[in-house]
Amino acid sequence: MIIFKTLTIQNFLSYGNNSTKIDLNKNNPTLITGINYDASVNGELDSNGCGKSSILNALSYVLYNKDISINGKLDDLINNINGKDMLVTLVFTKDSKDYRISRYRKNKAMGGDGVLIEQKKGKSWKDITTTKPDTQISDAILQIPFTVFNRIIGYAAGEEPFLKMGLPKQREVIDELFEYTELVKRANIIKEKVKDLKKDLEYARESNQSIKDEAMRHKEQLVSLTKKSSDWKTNSAESLQEMHARLNDLESIDYNNQEQLLELIASKKTELSKLLSELKQHNKDLSNAKSQTAKFLSFDEDNEKEIGDTLNLLQKEIIEDFNEEQQTGYLNRAAELGAEIEELKQSLNSYTRTKSSYETKLEKIQGELTHLSDSKCPYCLQKYEEAKQKISDLQNETADIQDNLVELEKEISRSNSSLSNCAAELKTIKKEFLIFDDKESMVSYITKIDKLKDRFDNLKSQTNPYEDMSKDVEKLEAQITTSTQKVTQLESQIHEAEAELLFDSTEQLFTAKSKIESLKDRIEEKKKEENPYDEMLEDLKGYKPKASGKDKEIAELENTIKHSEFLIKLLTKKDSYLRKALMDKYLPMLNKRLHHYLTVMSLPHRVMFNSDLSTEISQFGKTIPYGNLSAGQKARINIALSLSFRDVLQSKHNFINLFILDECLDVGLSNVGVRKTVKAIKEVAKTNKLSMFVISHRDEAKDSFPDRLEIELRNGFSSIKA
């Protein structure tokens, strides 16, 4: 039985230096709500971040030195305003024994960072802290690991859902529930004993084995030397036999005949090499002769074709009635006319400008005469006394200008006439006599015709530079045929001689001949050799090894280890009857409680754990993946699983009074879902007489709990509302 009594928090997260004490052993379910006076949304006070979940975090921290929601450093749990003197204290009863655990960080009064574990003896508390306090709390005192605690005693909505976990993590929780972990612990104790037994066995075996090894080595050496002695005799006899056979082979060879064959082959190969070289040169000469003859035969035909092509091109390019002297005269006259026309045009332009100047001057004089006829100055229009004289002067000037204009008109007329005549003559020359636009074009034409004529004359006078070697071709082909026949004959003779040859060279022949006497000497030496193993074999036969004497002790140790390992398998093997007995005890109970809670929360789905500890969700007989469920369905299943796990755990510990649900009503549940779930957990609390705390933001839940604990956050610090 575990009864959690009080939790005291100081400088933990948003809780400040003032000590906050929470009664964990209450008769009625308690709703924990909050108000954050430091934050408002649209003028309304927020309920997030005021320190509700810190209660569950503090409980997790004091028991396991871990925090459910924060993944940072443990120093991050210290109140960030005060930054020191964090202290969390939990008082609880386990199996009629009272315990007090105080965990602290940066607490000078307590000694910095650490944990203090105390047990009540009479009216005083006694320090029972060991060197491994975390293991002492979870394994020796509570006997509930962290993985089970954060799903069965304190369950937060932010925790990864059990059915979403991987199989290894699921098995970790199930192993704790079904006491498999306890079996493993006991198996580990036996394993340590087996290690010591195996060391003793290894020593006994080594001692016994050293004696046996000595006897075995003696036996193996005896067998080995006997075999080596026998092998030596066999090898010696075989070696003598091989040497005699080799000697017979060497003595049976006709060395004079072999030497003559080697000389014959060398002579024939020299002759063959010379003949092949001549044949190669003949083939080269034949190729050259054929090439010269082919070029000789094709030269005249190619030359005639090129002469014809050049003549055609010459006839095409030559202009009939072309006379270089005439064309030069026409081109010179055309150039003269062009220059004369340009000069006339310039004169006409000058005459035109002069005429325009005279006409402008006449107009001006005429205007002055008009004003002077009224005896007025033509410029200022004032009375002008000398007007008559001025008029006479202007009339004389007018007469001179008019005479000049008459002469100018005559010059313009003469120039226009000359220009017309020159243009007509130039047009006639270009149209009727000129072939080229300019002298450069004519020179280019004459040069091109001269080159074609020179090329034609050269082709006509060219002789065939190639030689007719058709007779040489016939002669060379006959020589090649004869040489090829000789090559074939020589190769055949060499092949026949090589078939009778036993050696590749004269050196090999003389080496083989010299080996005869050497081989005779080796045979005599071999006959005189003695067996080197006979003396050692006699010495080994006279030695007697010791007898062994630890077989009985070894047998007893082996039997004990065998039984111990069998017991380990019973405790750890998945299909052992011990594990099956635990599964038969707890699995039906787990499935029954799970079905009960799902029914109470009005969820039509069926969730069942199979014998292989896998889970199956179904509705109307059809399997449904966990991921296909709605958020509200998942939330109710998660709560039902937590309650069911808790019932199984409680059956081991008889009774655990505390159960905290952190925001489990706030994730995915509809209004109806909230009401159904609240009804279910209140029924659980009442039936099991639990001290249940429910942390929630849902308005639907506020009037559903008889007791409420309201957390306030003001100026950065949390406190419980009085």
Side-chain angles (χ1 to χ4, degrees):
M1 178 183 293
I2 302 175
I3 304 296
F4 291 96
K5 294 183 177 179
T6 60
L7 178 69
T8 306
I9 305 172
Q10 185 178 359
N11 286 316
F12 182 86
L13 292 176
S14 59
Y15 290 86
N17 199 44
N18 294 328
S19 181
T20 300
K21 188 174 184 179
I22 302 164
D23 183 6
L24 299 179
N25 190 19
K26 299 176 73 68
N27 295 325
N28 295 319
T30 302
L31 177 67
I32 300 177
T33 60
I35 300 176
N36 187 344
Y37 286 97
D38 293 347
S40 63
V41 179
N42 296 326
E44 296 183 6
L45 293 176
D46 196 2
S47 61
N48 285 316
C50 57
K52 303 184 297 298
S53 299
S54 298
I55 296 171
L56 180 56
N57 292 335
L59 187 62
S60 170
Y61 168 70
V62 73
L63 288 173
Y64 298 99
N65 200 27
K66 294 180 181 180
D67 177 72
I68 291 177
S69 60
I70 296 176
N71 296 319
K73 300 176 182 177
L74 289 174
D75 282 345
D76 294 339
L77 296 172
I78 302 172
N79 181 267
N80 61 358
I81 296 176
N82 294 328
K84 62 180 180 177
D85 295 334
M86 184 183 81
L87 175 62
V88 180
T89 302
L90 175 68
V91 178
F92 64 95
T93 299
K94 170 72 188 303
D95 298 334
S96 302
K97 295 179 182 179
D98 292 330
Y99 295 93
R100 183 169 68 186
I101 300 174
S102 301
R103 198 177 291 272
Y104 47 91
R105 295 192 74 79
K106 292 188 179 180
N107 193 312
K108 188 175 181 181
M110 297 291 292
D113 297 348
V115 60
L116 174 64
I117 305 172
E118 299 172 292
Q119 184 177 347
K120 197 168 187 179
K121 302 290 185 180
K123 293 184 179 181
S124 60
W125 293 96
K126 182 181 179 182
D127 183 358
I128 60 170
T129 311
T130 64
T131 56
K132 295 182 178 180
D134 293 340
T135 304
Q136 180 187 5
I137 295 169
S138 62
D139 294 356
I141 300 175
L142 278 183
Q143 297 178 355
I144 300 174
F146 179 72
T147 54
V148 175
F149 166 85
N150 66 1
R151 292 190 174 277
I152 296 169
I153 294 176
Y155 180 62
E159 187 70 23
E160 183 181 18
F162 177 84
L163 293 178
K164 197 177 179 181
M165 284 179 168
L167 193 58
K169 287 186 178 180
Q170 289 182 349
R171 287 190 180 279
E172 189 178 344
V173 176
I174 296 298
D175 284 353
E176 290 291 344
L177 285 176
F178 287 8
E179 296 184 355
Y180 290 168
T181 306
E182 185 62 31
L183 295 182
V184 172
K185 288 178 183 177
R186 296 187 183 186
N188 289 335
I189 294 171
I190 298 172
K191 284 180 182 178
E192 292 299 319
K193 292 181 179 179
V194 168
K195 284 182 183 178
D196 295 334
L197 289 171
K198 284 184 176 180
K199 288 180 182 178
D200 294 340
L201 177 62
E202 183 180 0
Y203 175 76
R205 281 176 174 171
E206 287 177 356
S207 177
N208 205 38
Q209 191 63 40
S210 63
I211 297 171
K212 288 183 177 181
D213 288 346
E214 186 180 354
M216 181 59 68
R217 281 195 300 273
H218 178 267
K219 184 178 179 181
E220 288 174 351
Q221 288 174 354
L222 193 59
V223 171
S224 176
L225 283 173
T226 301
K227 185 177 183 304
K228 287 178 180 180
S229 177
S230 175
D231 290 345
W232 187 91
K233 291 176 183 178
T234 302
N235 292 336
S236 181
E238 289 176 352
S239 179
L240 275 170
Q241 187 177 357
E242 288 176 2
M243 285 190 285
H244 278 297
R246 180 62 180 155
L247 182 61
N248 292 334
D249 291 340
L250 290 173
E251 289 178 338
S252 65
I253 296 171
D254 185 349
Y255 291 97
N256 292 330
N257 179 55
Q258 288 291 309
E259 189 173 356
Q260 291 172 2
L261 285 172
L262 283 168
E263 291 174 354
L264 176 64
I265 290 169
S267 174
K268 294 293 182 183
K269 284 186 176 179
T270 301
E271 186 179 350
L272 177 63
S273 176
K274 182 179 179 182
L275 194 59
L276 288 171
S277 178
E278 291 175 355
L279 186 60
K280 182 178 179 182
Q281 185 60 44
H282 288 335
N283 282 317
K284 185 177 179 181
D285 293 342
L286 177 61
S287 177
N288 182 54
K290 285 182 176 180
S291 175
Q292 284 288 324
T293 302
K295 290 178 180 178
F296 174 80
L297 294 173
S298 64
F299 176 80
D300 291 337
E301 183 181 345
D302 294 342
N303 193 51
E304 285 298 324
K305 183 177 182 304
E306 194 169 356
I307 289 171
D309 292 343
T310 304
L311 183 60
N312 290 335
L313 184 60
L314 188 60
Q315 290 172 348
K316 182 180 178 181
E317 293 293 333
I318 286 179
I319 300 172
E320 293 183 6
D321 301 327
F322 170 71
N323 186 298
E324 184 179 356
E325 186 178 353
Q326 280 185 344
Q327 282 296 309
T328 302
Y330 290 139
L331 286 169
N332 289 336
R333 179 57 183 159
E336 291 172 359
L337 288 170
E340 190 174 348
I341 288 170
E342 187 62 31
E343 186 179 349
L344 287 169
K345 284 181 178 180
Q346 290 177 0
S347 297
L348 281 170
N349 287 335
S350 176
Y351 294 155
T352 301
R353 287 195 297 272
T354 303
K355 179 183 176 183
S356 177
S357 175
Y358 284 155
E359 289 174 345
T360 300
K361 198 168 185 179
L362 281 175
E363 288 178 3
K364 183 179 179 183
I365 292 171
Q366 194 64 39
E368 290 177 1
L369 288 172
T370 300
H371 291 292
L372 288 169
S373 63
D374 295 331
S375 297
K376 292 181 180 179
C377 178
Y379 303 107
C380 63
L381 301 180
Q382 298 296 319
K383 184 129 177 104
Y384 190 47
E385 296 295 340
E386 298 178 357
K388 290 181 180 181
Q389 182 60 43
K390 184 66 176 175
I391 289 171
S392 176
D393 293 340
L394 288 174
Q395 286 174 343
N396 291 333
E397 187 178 354
T398 298
D400 292 339
I401 290 173
Q402 287 175 344
D403 291 340
N404 290 335
L405 280 173
V406 170
E407 290 299 323
L408 195 59
E409 284 292 342
K410 289 179 181 179
E411 288 297 325
I412 289 172
S413 177
R414 282 195 296 271
S415 295
N416 279 328
S417 177
S418 298
L419 180 63
S420 177
N421 292 334
C422 289
E425 184 181 354
L426 180 61
K427 183 177 179 182
T428 300
I429 290 172
K430 285 184 176 181
K431 183 176 180 182
E432 297 181 5
F433 303 108
L434 279 182
I435 298 172
F436 305 99
D437 294 333
D438 49 43
K439 286 186 178 181
E440 288 77 9
S441 300
M442 183 180 73
V443 171
S444 176
Y445 164 76
I446 293 169
T447 302
K448 184 176 181 182
I449 295 301
D450 289 344
K451 285 182 178 179
L452 285 171
K453 286 179 179 179
D454 292 342
R455 181 180 174 189
F456 179 79
D457 293 339
N458 289 335
L459 288 171
K460 289 287 285 182
S461 62
Q462 191 172 10
T463 58
N464 195 331
Y466 302 105
E467 184 181 357
D468 182 5
M469 300 182 70
S470 54
K471 290 182 179 180
D472 293 337
V473 169
E474 293 176 2
K475 183 179 178 181
L476 285 167
E477 286 177 341
Q479 289 176 343
I480 288 170
T481 301
T482 303
S483 296
T484 302
Q485 290 173 351
K486 288 181 180 180
V487 167
T488 304
Q489 185 179 0
L490 279 172
E491 287 176 341
S492 177
Q493 291 172 355
I494 292 169
H495 181 70
E496 289 174 1
E498 286 178 340
E500 298 178 23
L501 194 63
L502 300 175
F503 304 98
D504 294 335
S505 64
T506 306
E507 288 76 11
Q508 283 188 356
L509 183 145
F510 289 136
T511 300
K513 193 174 181 180
S514 66
K515 282 184 179 179
I516 293 174
E517 292 302 321
S518 175
L519 201 55
K520 286 179 179 180
D521 293 339
R522 286 179 59 197
I523 289 171
E524 291 302 318
E525 290 175 0
K526 194 68 177 175
K527 288 178 180 179
K528 295 176 183 179
E529 285 182 358
E530 293 182 358
N531 193 328
Y533 301 105
D534 288 347
E535 186 177 349
M536 289 186 287
L537 190 59
E538 288 301 321
D539 292 342
L540 202 58
K541 286 179 179 179
Y543 174 76
K544 300 295 180 184
K546 296 178 182 179
S548 61
K550 288 201 174 187
D551 291 342
K552 184 178 179 181
E553 180 184 349
I554 290 170
E556 289 176 353
L557 285 168
E558 287 175 342
N559 189 48
T560 304
I561 291 170
K562 182 179 178 182
H563 282 81
S564 298
E565 288 177 341
F566 176 73
L567 184 56
I568 290 170
K569 287 181 180 179
L570 283 178
L571 293 171
T572 59
K573 200 173 181 183
K574 292 180 180 180
D575 57 354
S576 71
Y577 80 89
L578 285 177
R579 284 186 167 240
K580 189 174 183 303
L582 289 173
M583 184 179 290
D584 292 342
K585 176 181 178 182
Y586 292 118
L587 189 61
M589 177 183 177
L590 177 60
N591 284 328
K592 182 178 179 181
R593 298 308 298 163
L594 191 53
H595 176 70
H596 168 73
Y597 289 125
L598 291 174
T599 302
V600 171
M601 285 188 276
S602 301
L603 195 67
H605 299 77
R606 182 185 180 192
V607 181
M608 176 174 283
F609 283 84
N610 299 315
S611 58
D612 61 353
L613 299 183
S614 63
T615 53
E616 182 179 308
I617 305 172
S618 61
Q619 184 181 16
F620 307 125
K622 291 186 177 181
T623 302
I624 302 172
Y626 178 74
N628 288 2
L629 298 173
S630 69
Q633 291 169 338
K634 289 177 183 177
R636 280 186 270 180
I637 288 176
N638 293 338
I639 294 171
L641 276 170
S642 183
L643 292 171
S644 302
F645 288 160
R646 192 183 187 287
D647 288 348
V648 173
L649 182 67
Q650 187 165 277
S651 69
K652 293 166 58 180
H653 294 277
N654 295 328
F655 180 70
I656 303 171
N657 74 317
L658 182 63
F659 189 42
I660 302 175
L661 291 173
D662 185 7
E663 299 187 0
C664 295
L665 301 177
D666 302 354
V667 181
L669 289 174
S670 64
N671 295 341
V672 175
V674 171
R675 288 195 296 272
K676 293 284 186 182
T677 305
V678 168
K679 181 181 178 182
I681 59 180
K682 285 173 66 178
E683 180 184 324
V684 170
K686 181 179 179 181
T687 303
N688 297 316
K689 297 181 180 179
L690 296 179
S691 177
M692 181 177 288
F693 292 85
V694 179
I695 300 170
S696 178
H697 299 270
R698 297 294 290 263
D699 293 334
E700 300 92 328
K702 288 184 178 179
D703 298 327
S704 301
F705 290 88
D707 291 345
R708 282 178 62 182
L709 185 68
E710 190 167 88
I711 310 297
E712 294 181 344
L713 182 75
R714 294 177 185 269
N715 302 318
F717 292 105
S718 296
S719 62
I720 297 175
K721 185 178 180 181

